[in-house]
Amino acid sequence: MRILLINPNRSAWVTERLAAPARAMLLPGERLDTLTSQDGPEMVRTPEQVGAAESEVLALAARHGGGYDALVLGISLDCGLDAARRQRGPQPVIGMTEAACLAACTAGARFGLLTVGPAMAPLYAAHVRALGLEARCVGVEAPDAPEAFAAGAHNALPASAAALLAQGAQALRARGADSIVLAGAVLCGCGPALAQACGIPCFEGTACAIGLARMHWQHSAMTAAAGACG
């Protein structure tokens, strides 16, 4: 199975942060390639940058998506997901936050979404609504922790940001969440620590996307084998 992870912004460290949980999910014989935009926004932290990321997702998928068993969108608002699926036809295209939300639905009746930056909260709430999962979501916590974006590809979050995020996770649990979706590249790798802090599962999008890609790949193989037998 070959998977392409597409990051529609220009930050290579973001790509590496997105890729780390995904690589940890790979089984022998599976391969993850990554692609970082040269023309998209440097980061996607404002509503104005969302449209630019969507256009870049479509351009990169069209230019580089051939030959892969699945594409994973490394953008936490899943920008361009529906349009990319129309563009790619039968090739699976998986949004990282959609994947984490679907995984969270298997862990209990309701989940909460945790991200960074109050300006992003309404965008994530709208995305969950567009996914048809509003009734399963207790809400969005988005602490103002700009220092989180200085963590880089491999470094842990600053202690101040980690503390704010832990408080947000605990608040979501207090509101009735059975699990938490971590939205945003800067939260990749934080799942285990946050799960310990709040006492419920925390799902990271790119890791969940690998599981969905594998499901698609295996289902296609089973369907092909059944056709051959028929």
Side-chain angles (χ1 to χ4, degrees), residues 64-102:
H64 302 284
Y68 288 94
D69 297 298
L71 306 182
V72 173
L73 304 190
I75 176 74
S76 58
L77 280 163
D78 298 338
C79 304
L81 178 60
D82 291 340
R85 283 175 173 160
R86 290 192 296 270
Q87 179 199 86
R88 304 309 299 170
Q91 183 184 40
V93 180
I94 302 167
M96 59 180 285
T97 297
E98 178 190 46
C101 288
L102 293 174

PDB file of all heavy atoms in Angstrom, residues 64-102:
ATOM      1  N   HIS A  64       0.486  15.204  -8.553  1.00  0.00           N
ATOM      2  CA  HIS A  64       1.339  14.176  -7.938  1.00  0.00           C
ATOM      3  C   HIS A  64       0.583  12.963  -7.412  1.00  0.00           C
ATOM      4  O   HIS A  64       1.219  12.027  -6.901  1.00  0.00           O
ATOM      5  CB  HIS A  64       2.118  14.795  -6.765  1.00  0.00           C
ATOM      6  CG  HIS A  64       2.963  15.963  -7.126  1.00  0.00           C
ATOM      7  ND1 HIS A  64       4.174  15.837  -7.776  1.00  0.00           N
ATOM      8  CD2 HIS A  64       2.769  17.302  -6.942  1.00  0.00           C
ATOM      9  CE1 HIS A  64       4.712  17.040  -7.961  1.00  0.00           C
ATOM     10  NE2 HIS A  64       3.881  17.939  -7.481  1.00  0.00           N
ATOM     11  N   GLY A  65      -0.742  12.936  -7.522  1.00  0.00           N
ATOM     12  CA  GLY A  65      -1.513  11.890  -6.857  1.00  0.00           C
ATOM     13  C   GLY A  65      -1.567  10.549  -7.563  1.00  0.00           C
ATOM     14  O   GLY A  65      -1.989   9.557  -6.961  1.00  0.00           O
ATOM     15  N   GLY A  66      -1.141  10.490  -8.802  1.00  0.00           N
ATOM     16  CA  GLY A  66      -1.213   9.226  -9.534  1.00  0.00           C
ATOM     17  C   GLY A  66      -0.315   8.158  -8.941  1.00  0.00           C
ATOM     18  O   GLY A  66       0.766   8.432  -8.434  1.00  0.00           O
ATOM     19  N   GLY A  67      -0.768   6.909  -9.013  1.00  0.00           N
ATOM     20  CA  GLY A  67       0.055   5.788  -8.578  1.00  0.00           C
ATOM     21  C   GLY A  67      -0.051   5.463  -7.103  1.00  0.00           C
ATOM     22  O   GLY A  67       0.601   4.531  -6.632  1.00  0.00           O
ATOM     23  N   TYR A  68      -0.851   6.222  -6.363  1.00  0.00           N
ATOM     24  CA  TYR A  68      -0.999   5.956  -4.929  1.00  0.00           C
ATOM     25  C   TYR A  68      -2.331   5.259  -4.649  1.00  0.00           C
ATOM     26  O   TYR A  68      -3.319   5.467  -5.342  1.00  0.00           O
ATOM     27  CB  TYR A  68      -0.912   7.264  -4.131  1.00  0.00           C
ATOM     28  CG  TYR A  68       0.492   7.816  -4.081  1.00  0.00           C
ATOM     29  CD1 TYR A  68       0.929   8.759  -5.012  1.00  0.00           C
ATOM     30  CD2 TYR A  68       1.397   7.376  -3.123  1.00  0.00           C
ATOM     31  CE1 TYR A  68       2.219   9.249  -4.980  1.00  0.00           C
ATOM     32  CE2 TYR A  68       2.697   7.862  -3.080  1.00  0.00           C
ATOM     33  CZ  TYR A  68       3.098   8.792  -4.015  1.00  0.00           C
ATOM     34  OH  TYR A  68       4.390   9.269  -3.987  1.00  0.00           O
ATOM     35  N   ASP A  69      -2.316   4.457  -3.581  1.00  0.00           N
ATOM     36  CA  ASP A  69      -3.536   3.755  -3.190  1.00  0.00           C
ATOM     37  C   ASP A  69      -4.481   4.657  -2.415  1.00  0.00           C
ATOM     38  O   ASP A  69      -5.681   4.359  -2.327  1.00  0.00           O
ATOM     39  CB  ASP A  69      -3.177   2.526  -2.348  1.00  0.00           C
ATOM     40  CG  ASP A  69      -2.366   1.522  -3.147  1.00  0.00           C
ATOM     41  OD1 ASP A  69      -2.897   1.005  -4.148  1.00  0.00           O
ATOM     42  OD2 ASP A  69      -1.204   1.271  -2.783  1.00  0.00           O
ATOM     43  N   ALA A  70      -3.964   5.737  -1.848  1.00  0.00           N
ATOM     44  CA  ALA A  70      -4.806   6.695  -1.125  1.00  0.00           C
ATOM     45  C   ALA A  70      -4.045   8.004  -0.976  1.00  0.00           C
ATOM     46  O   ALA A  70      -2.809   8.018  -0.941  1.00  0.00           O
ATOM     47  CB  ALA A  70      -5.201   6.158   0.247  1.00  0.00           C
ATOM     48  N   LEU A  71      -4.793   9.084  -0.888  1.00  0.00           N
ATOM     49  CA  LEU A  71      -4.240  10.399  -0.578  1.00  0.00           C
ATOM     50  C   LEU A  71      -4.769  10.826   0.785  1.00  0.00           C
ATOM     51  O   LEU A  71      -5.951  10.660   1.079  1.00  0.00           O
ATOM     52  CB  LEU A  71      -4.652  11.434  -1.624  1.00  0.00           C
ATOM     53  CG  LEU A  71      -4.357  11.123  -3.089  1.00  0.00           C
ATOM     54  CD1 LEU A  71      -4.793  12.300  -3.960  1.00  0.00           C
ATOM     55  CD2 LEU A  71      -2.887  10.800  -3.302  1.00  0.00           C
ATOM     56  N   VAL A  72      -3.885  11.362   1.613  1.00  0.00           N
ATOM     57  CA  VAL A  72      -4.271  11.910   2.908  1.00  0.00           C
ATOM     58  C   VAL A  72      -4.022  13.415   2.873  1.00  0.00           C
ATOM     59  O   VAL A  72      -2.926  13.859   2.517  1.00  0.00           O
ATOM     60  CB  VAL A  72      -3.466  11.265   4.060  1.00  0.00           C
ATOM     61  CG1 VAL A  72      -3.769  11.973   5.387  1.00  0.00           C
ATOM     62  CG2 VAL A  72      -3.787   9.783   4.164  1.00  0.00           C
ATOM     63  N   LEU A  73      -5.036  14.185   3.220  1.00  0.00           N
ATOM     64  CA  LEU A  73      -4.904  15.640   3.232  1.00  0.00           C
ATOM     65  C   LEU A  73      -4.353  16.072   4.577  1.00  0.00           C
ATOM     66  O   LEU A  73      -5.013  15.949   5.610  1.00  0.00           O
ATOM     67  CB  LEU A  73      -6.254  16.302   2.965  1.00  0.00           C
ATOM     68  CG  LEU A  73      -6.955  15.895   1.669  1.00  0.00           C
ATOM     69  CD1 LEU A  73      -8.150  16.798   1.407  1.00  0.00           C
ATOM     70  CD2 LEU A  73      -5.995  15.918   0.484  1.00  0.00           C
ATOM     71  N   GLY A  74      -3.130  16.592   4.552  1.00  0.00           N
ATOM     72  CA  GLY A  74      -2.465  17.044   5.765  1.00  0.00           C
ATOM     73  C   GLY A  74      -2.810  18.490   6.071  1.00  0.00           C
ATOM     74  O   GLY A  74      -1.919  19.339   6.174  1.00  0.00           O
ATOM     75  N   ILE A  75      -4.090  18.736   6.234  1.00  0.00           N
ATOM     76  CA  ILE A  75      -4.591  20.064   6.573  1.00  0.00           C
ATOM     77  C   ILE A  75      -5.782  19.830   7.488  1.00  0.00           C
ATOM     78  O   ILE A  75      -6.723  19.116   7.122  1.00  0.00           O
ATOM     79  CB  ILE A  75      -4.962  20.874   5.308  1.00  0.00           C
ATOM     80  CG1 ILE A  75      -5.576  22.225   5.664  1.00  0.00           C
ATOM     81  CG2 ILE A  75      -5.881  20.088   4.396  1.00  0.00           C
ATOM     82  CD1 ILE A  75      -4.576  23.215   6.171  1.00  0.00           C
ATOM     83  N   SER A  76      -5.734  20.414   8.692  1.00  0.00           N
ATOM     84  CA  SER A  76      -6.663  19.963   9.722  1.00  0.00           C
ATOM     85  C   SER A  76      -8.102  20.399   9.498  1.00  0.00           C
ATOM     86  O   SER A  76      -9.010  19.845  10.121  1.00  0.00           O
ATOM     87  CB  SER A  76      -6.185  20.420  11.099  1.00  0.00           C
ATOM     88  OG  SER A  76      -6.053  21.824  11.151  1.00  0.00           O
ATOM     89  N   LEU A  77      -8.339  21.372   8.615  1.00  0.00           N
ATOM     90  CA  LEU A  77      -9.710  21.700   8.253  1.00  0.00           C
ATOM     91  C   LEU A  77     -10.187  20.900   7.043  1.00  0.00           C
ATOM     92  O   LEU A  77     -11.273  21.136   6.520  1.00  0.00           O
ATOM     93  CB  LEU A  77      -9.846  23.199   7.982  1.00  0.00           C
ATOM     94  CG  LEU A  77      -9.970  24.062   9.243  1.00  0.00           C
ATOM     95  CD1 LEU A  77      -9.696  25.523   8.940  1.00  0.00           C
ATOM     96  CD2 LEU A  77     -11.335  23.895   9.880  1.00  0.00           C
ATOM     97  N   ASP A  78      -9.355  19.942   6.600  1.00  0.00           N
ATOM     98  CA  ASP A  78      -9.701  19.081   5.454  1.00  0.00           C
ATOM     99  C   ASP A  78     -10.063  19.917   4.227  1.00  0.00           C
ATOM    100  O   ASP A  78     -10.963  19.550   3.445  1.00  0.00           O
ATOM    101  CB  ASP A  78     -10.860  18.137   5.799  1.00  0.00           C
ATOM    102  CG  ASP A  78     -10.525  17.185   6.936  1.00  0.00           C
ATOM    103  OD1 ASP A  78      -9.330  16.949   7.192  1.00  0.00           O
ATOM    104  OD2 ASP A  78     -11.459  16.679   7.583  1.00  0.00           O
ATOM    105  N   CYS A  79      -9.362  21.033   4.036  1.00  0.00           N
ATOM    106  CA  CYS A  79      -9.666  21.946   2.927  1.00  0.00           C
ATOM    107  C   CYS A  79      -9.614  21.206   1.591  1.00  0.00           C
ATOM    108  O   CYS A  79      -8.643  20.508   1.299  1.00  0.00           O
ATOM    109  CB  CYS A  79      -8.654  23.098   2.888  1.00  0.00           C
ATOM    110  SG  CYS A  79      -8.538  24.028   4.401  1.00  0.00           S
ATOM    111  N   GLY A  80     -10.649  21.355   0.788  1.00  0.00           N
ATOM    112  CA  GLY A  80     -10.666  20.761  -0.538  1.00  0.00           C
ATOM    113  C   GLY A  80     -11.027  19.297  -0.576  1.00  0.00           C
ATOM    114  O   GLY A  80     -10.930  18.664  -1.635  1.00  0.00           O
ATOM    115  N   LEU A  81     -11.494  18.746   0.545  1.00  0.00           N
ATOM    116  CA  LEU A  81     -11.747  17.307   0.608  1.00  0.00           C
ATOM    117  C   LEU A  81     -12.792  16.866  -0.411  1.00  0.00           C
ATOM    118  O   LEU A  81     -12.560  15.939  -1.192  1.00  0.00           O
ATOM    119  CB  LEU A  81     -12.178  16.928   2.024  1.00  0.00           C
ATOM    120  CG  LEU A  81     -12.532  15.456   2.261  1.00  0.00           C
ATOM    121  CD1 LEU A  81     -11.351  14.551   1.958  1.00  0.00           C
ATOM    122  CD2 LEU A  81     -13.001  15.261   3.702  1.00  0.00           C
ATOM    123  N   ASP A  82     -13.942  17.508  -0.424  1.00  0.00           N
ATOM    124  CA  ASP A  82     -14.996  17.094  -1.343  1.00  0.00           C
ATOM    125  C   ASP A  82     -14.576  17.278  -2.799  1.00  0.00           C
ATOM    126  O   ASP A  82     -14.814  16.406  -3.648  1.00  0.00           O
ATOM    127  CB  ASP A  82     -16.278  17.882  -1.071  1.00  0.00           C
ATOM    128  CG  ASP A  82     -16.926  17.505   0.249  1.00  0.00           C
ATOM    129  OD1 ASP A  82     -16.631  16.404   0.762  1.00  0.00           O
ATOM    130  OD2 ASP A  82     -17.716  18.312   0.772  1.00  0.00           O
ATOM    131  N   ALA A  83     -13.938  18.407  -3.097  1.00  0.00           N
ATOM    132  CA  ALA A  83     -13.502  18.665  -4.474  1.00  0.00           C
ATOM    133  C   ALA A  83     -12.428  17.682  -4.896  1.00  0.00           C
ATOM    134  O   ALA A  83     -12.404  17.215  -6.044  1.00  0.00           O
ATOM    135  CB  ALA A  83     -12.989  20.096  -4.595  1.00  0.00           C
ATOM    136  N   ALA A  84     -11.536  17.324  -3.987  1.00  0.00           N
ATOM    137  CA  ALA A  84     -10.482  16.359  -4.320  1.00  0.00           C
ATOM    138  C   ALA A  84     -11.084  14.981  -4.580  1.00  0.00           C
ATOM    139  O   ALA A  84     -10.616  14.248  -5.469  1.00  0.00           O
ATOM    140  CB  ALA A  84      -9.465  16.292  -3.190  1.00  0.00           C
ATOM    141  N   ARG A  85     -12.102  14.611  -3.846  1.00  0.00           N
ATOM    142  CA  ARG A  85     -12.745  13.323  -4.098  1.00  0.00           C
ATOM    143  C   ARG A  85     -13.411  13.297  -5.462  1.00  0.00           C
ATOM    144  O   ARG A  85     -13.361  12.285  -6.170  1.00  0.00           O
ATOM    145  CB  ARG A  85     -13.758  13.027  -2.985  1.00  0.00           C
ATOM    146  CG  ARG A  85     -13.097  12.566  -1.699  1.00  0.00           C
ATOM    147  CD  ARG A  85     -14.068  12.385  -0.562  1.00  0.00           C
ATOM    148  NE  ARG A  85     -13.386  11.782   0.587  1.00  0.00           N
ATOM    149  CZ  ARG A  85     -13.826  11.837   1.839  1.00  0.00           C
ATOM    150  NH1 ARG A  85     -14.974  12.451   2.101  1.00  0.00           N
ATOM    151  NH2 ARG A  85     -13.141  11.277   2.809  1.00  0.00           N
ATOM    152  N   ARG A  86     -14.013  14.405  -5.839  1.00  0.00           N
ATOM    153  CA  ARG A  86     -14.601  14.459  -7.183  1.00  0.00           C
ATOM    154  C   ARG A  86     -13.503  14.389  -8.243  1.00  0.00           C
ATOM    155  O   ARG A  86     -13.671  13.721  -9.282  1.00  0.00           O
ATOM    156  CB  ARG A  86     -15.415  15.749  -7.343  1.00  0.00           C
ATOM    157  CG  ARG A  86     -16.694  15.781  -6.511  1.00  0.00           C
ATOM    158  CD  ARG A  86     -17.596  16.925  -6.931  1.00  0.00           C
ATOM    159  NE  ARG A  86     -16.985  18.225  -6.682  1.00  0.00           N
ATOM    160  CZ  ARG A  86     -17.123  18.907  -5.544  1.00  0.00           C
ATOM    161  NH1 ARG A  86     -17.822  18.400  -4.539  1.00  0.00           N
ATOM    162  NH2 ARG A  86     -16.563  20.093  -5.411  1.00  0.00           N
ATOM    163  N   GLN A  87     -12.398  15.037  -7.985  1.00  0.00           N
ATOM    164  CA  GLN A  87     -11.294  15.048  -8.951  1.00  0.00           C
ATOM    165  C   GLN A  87     -10.660  13.668  -9.104  1.00  0.00           C
ATOM    166  O   GLN A  87     -10.331  13.256 -10.215  1.00  0.00           O
ATOM    167  CB  GLN A  87     -10.226  16.049  -8.483  1.00  0.00           C
ATOM    168  CG  GLN A  87      -8.997  16.138  -9.383  1.00  0.00           C
ATOM    169  CD  GLN A  87      -7.806  16.757  -8.673  1.00  0.00           C
ATOM    170  OE1 GLN A  87      -7.047  16.075  -7.994  1.00  0.00           O
ATOM    171  NE2 GLN A  87      -7.642  18.078  -8.824  1.00  0.00           N
ATOM    172  N   ARG A  88     -10.497  12.935  -7.982  1.00  0.00           N
ATOM    173  CA  ARG A  88      -9.721  11.701  -8.005  1.00  0.00           C
ATOM    174  C   ARG A  88     -10.558  10.462  -8.318  1.00  0.00           C
ATOM    175  O   ARG A  88     -10.004   9.371  -8.495  1.00  0.00           O
ATOM    176  CB  ARG A  88      -9.029  11.494  -6.653  1.00  0.00           C
ATOM    177  CG  ARG A  88      -8.145  12.643  -6.209  1.00  0.00           C
ATOM    178  CD  ARG A  88      -7.156  13.080  -7.265  1.00  0.00           C
ATOM    179  NE  ARG A  88      -6.240  12.002  -7.639  1.00  0.00           N
ATOM    180  CZ  ARG A  88      -5.406  12.058  -8.666  1.00  0.00           C
ATOM    181  NH1 ARG A  88      -5.398  13.147  -9.447  1.00  0.00           N
ATOM    182  NH2 ARG A  88      -4.600  11.060  -8.931  1.00  0.00           N
ATOM    183  N   GLY A  89     -11.872  10.600  -8.388  1.00  0.00           N
ATOM    184  CA  GLY A  89     -12.692   9.446  -8.752  1.00  0.00           C
ATOM    185  C   GLY A  89     -12.616   8.345  -7.713  1.00  0.00           C
ATOM    186  O   GLY A  89     -12.841   8.589  -6.527  1.00  0.00           O
ATOM    187  N   PRO A  90     -12.278   7.112  -8.118  1.00  0.00           N
ATOM    188  CA  PRO A  90     -12.301   6.002  -7.165  1.00  0.00           C
ATOM    189  C   PRO A  90     -11.126   5.988  -6.188  1.00  0.00           C
ATOM    190  O   PRO A  90     -11.148   5.228  -5.223  1.00  0.00           O
ATOM    191  CB  PRO A  90     -12.261   4.761  -8.073  1.00  0.00           C
ATOM    192  CG  PRO A  90     -11.574   5.231  -9.312  1.00  0.00           C
ATOM    193  CD  PRO A  90     -12.007   6.656  -9.504  1.00  0.00           C
ATOM    194  N   GLN A  91     -10.098   6.798  -6.434  1.00  0.00           N
ATOM    195  CA  GLN A  91      -8.954   6.816  -5.523  1.00  0.00           C
ATOM    196  C   GLN A  91      -9.377   7.421  -4.175  1.00  0.00           C
ATOM    197  O   GLN A  91      -9.895   8.540  -4.118  1.00  0.00           O
ATOM    198  CB  GLN A  91      -7.826   7.660  -6.118  1.00  0.00           C
ATOM    199  CG  GLN A  91      -6.550   7.686  -5.279  1.00  0.00           C
ATOM    200  CD  GLN A  91      -5.511   8.618  -5.878  1.00  0.00           C
ATOM    201  OE1 GLN A  91      -5.833   9.701  -6.368  1.00  0.00           O
ATOM    202  NE2 GLN A  91      -4.252   8.186  -5.873  1.00  0.00           N
ATOM    203  N   PRO A  92      -9.173   6.710  -3.059  1.00  0.00           N
ATOM    204  CA  PRO A  92      -9.584   7.257  -1.765  1.00  0.00           C
ATOM    205  C   PRO A  92      -8.820   8.532  -1.419  1.00  0.00           C
ATOM    206  O   PRO A  92      -7.597   8.596  -1.553  1.00  0.00           O
ATOM    207  CB  PRO A  92      -9.241   6.133  -0.783  1.00  0.00           C
ATOM    208  CG  PRO A  92      -9.214   4.888  -1.602  1.00  0.00           C
ATOM    209  CD  PRO A  92      -8.682   5.320  -2.939  1.00  0.00           C
ATOM    210  N   VAL A  93      -9.560   9.544  -0.969  1.00  0.00           N
ATOM    211  CA  VAL A  93      -8.985  10.780  -0.447  1.00  0.00           C
ATOM    212  C   VAL A  93      -9.520  10.937   0.970  1.00  0.00           C
ATOM    213  O   VAL A  93     -10.725  10.952   1.182  1.00  0.00           O
ATOM    214  CB  VAL A  93      -9.358  12.002  -1.310  1.00  0.00           C
ATOM    215  CG1 VAL A  93      -8.738  13.273  -0.736  1.00  0.00           C
ATOM    216  CG2 VAL A  93      -8.922  11.796  -2.754  1.00  0.00           C
ATOM    217  N   ILE A  94      -8.625  11.052   1.923  1.00  0.00           N
ATOM    218  CA  ILE A  94      -9.003  11.018   3.334  1.00  0.00           C
ATOM    219  C   ILE A  94      -8.573  12.312   4.008  1.00  0.00           C
ATOM    220  O   ILE A  94      -7.398  12.697   3.951  1.00  0.00           O
ATOM    221  CB  ILE A  94      -8.357   9.808   4.037  1.00  0.00           C
ATOM    222  CG1 ILE A  94      -8.781   8.509   3.339  1.00  0.00           C
ATOM    223  CG2 ILE A  94      -8.738   9.779   5.513  1.00  0.00           C
ATOM    224  CD1 ILE A  94      -7.980   7.304   3.754  1.00  0.00           C
ATOM    225  N   GLY A  95      -9.506  12.990   4.635  1.00  0.00           N
ATOM    226  CA  GLY A  95      -9.200  14.174   5.424  1.00  0.00           C
ATOM    227  C   GLY A  95      -8.770  13.774   6.821  1.00  0.00           C
ATOM    228  O   GLY A  95      -9.382  12.906   7.454  1.00  0.00           O
ATOM    229  N   MET A  96      -7.726  14.414   7.327  1.00  0.00           N
ATOM    230  CA  MET A  96      -7.171  13.994   8.613  1.00  0.00           C
ATOM    231  C   MET A  96      -8.147  14.223   9.767  1.00  0.00           C
ATOM    232  O   MET A  96      -8.283  13.362  10.647  1.00  0.00           O
ATOM    233  CB  MET A  96      -5.833  14.684   8.885  1.00  0.00           C
ATOM    234  CG  MET A  96      -5.857  16.192   8.927  1.00  0.00           C
ATOM    235  SD  MET A  96      -4.218  16.920   9.262  1.00  0.00           S
ATOM    236  CE  MET A  96      -4.039  16.590  11.026  1.00  0.00           C
ATOM    237  N   THR A  97      -8.845  15.352   9.772  1.00  0.00           N
ATOM    238  CA  THR A  97      -9.762  15.606  10.879  1.00  0.00           C
ATOM    239  C   THR A  97     -11.035  14.780  10.732  1.00  0.00           C
ATOM    240  O   THR A  97     -11.591  14.297  11.728  1.00  0.00           O
ATOM    241  CB  THR A  97     -10.066  17.100  10.987  1.00  0.00           C
ATOM    242  OG1 THR A  97      -8.837  17.787  11.284  1.00  0.00           O
ATOM    243  CG2 THR A  97     -11.070  17.399  12.080  1.00  0.00           C
ATOM    244  N   GLU A  98     -11.488  14.589   9.507  1.00  0.00           N
ATOM    245  CA  GLU A  98     -12.610  13.681   9.294  1.00  0.00           C
ATOM    246  C   GLU A  98     -12.272  12.295   9.837  1.00  0.00           C
ATOM    247  O   GLU A  98     -13.098  11.663  10.520  1.00  0.00           O
ATOM    248  CB  GLU A  98     -12.939  13.590   7.811  1.00  0.00           C
ATOM    249  CG  GLU A  98     -14.076  12.630   7.505  1.00  0.00           C
ATOM    250  CD  GLU A  98     -14.244  12.370   6.018  1.00  0.00           C
ATOM    251  OE1 GLU A  98     -13.229  12.128   5.334  1.00  0.00           O
ATOM    252  OE2 GLU A  98     -15.381  12.423   5.544  1.00  0.00           O
ATOM    253  N   ALA A  99     -11.067  11.813   9.551  1.00  0.00           N
ATOM    254  CA  ALA A  99     -10.658  10.484  10.011  1.00  0.00           C
ATOM    255  C   ALA A  99     -10.654  10.405  11.531  1.00  0.00           C
ATOM    256  O   ALA A  99     -11.117   9.420  12.123  1.00  0.00           O
ATOM    257  CB  ALA A  99      -9.272  10.150   9.456  1.00  0.00           C
ATOM    258  N   ALA A 100     -10.131  11.446  12.192  1.00  0.00           N
ATOM    259  CA  ALA A 100     -10.087  11.438  13.652  1.00  0.00           C
ATOM    260  C   ALA A 100     -11.490  11.505  14.247  1.00  0.00           C
ATOM    261  O   ALA A 100     -11.775  10.846  15.260  1.00  0.00           O
ATOM    262  CB  ALA A 100      -9.233  12.599  14.155  1.00  0.00           C
ATOM    263  N   CYS A 101     -12.375  12.287  13.638  1.00  0.00           N
ATOM    264  CA  CYS A 101     -13.762  12.365  14.129  1.00  0.00           C
ATOM    265  C   CYS A 101     -14.459  11.017  14.005  1.00  0.00           C
ATOM    266  O   CYS A 101     -15.185  10.591  14.923  1.00  0.00           O
ATOM    267  CB  CYS A 101     -14.532  13.434  13.359  1.00  0.00           C
ATOM    268  SG  CYS A 101     -14.067  15.138  13.748  1.00  0.00           S
ATOM    269  N   LEU A 102     -14.250  10.335  12.881  1.00  0.00           N
ATOM    270  CA  LEU A 102     -14.881   9.028  12.698  1.00  0.00           C
ATOM    271  C   LEU A 102     -14.329   8.016  13.702  1.00  0.00           C
ATOM    272  O   LEU A 102     -15.077   7.201  14.247  1.00  0.00           O
ATOM    273  CB  LEU A 102     -14.667   8.543  11.266  1.00  0.00           C
ATOM    274  CG  LEU A 102     -15.382   9.357  10.183  1.00  0.00           C
ATOM    275  CD1 LEU A 102     -14.975   8.880   8.799  1.00  0.00           C
ATOM    276  CD2 LEU A 102     -16.896   9.288  10.354  1.00  0.00           C
TER     277      LEU A 102
END
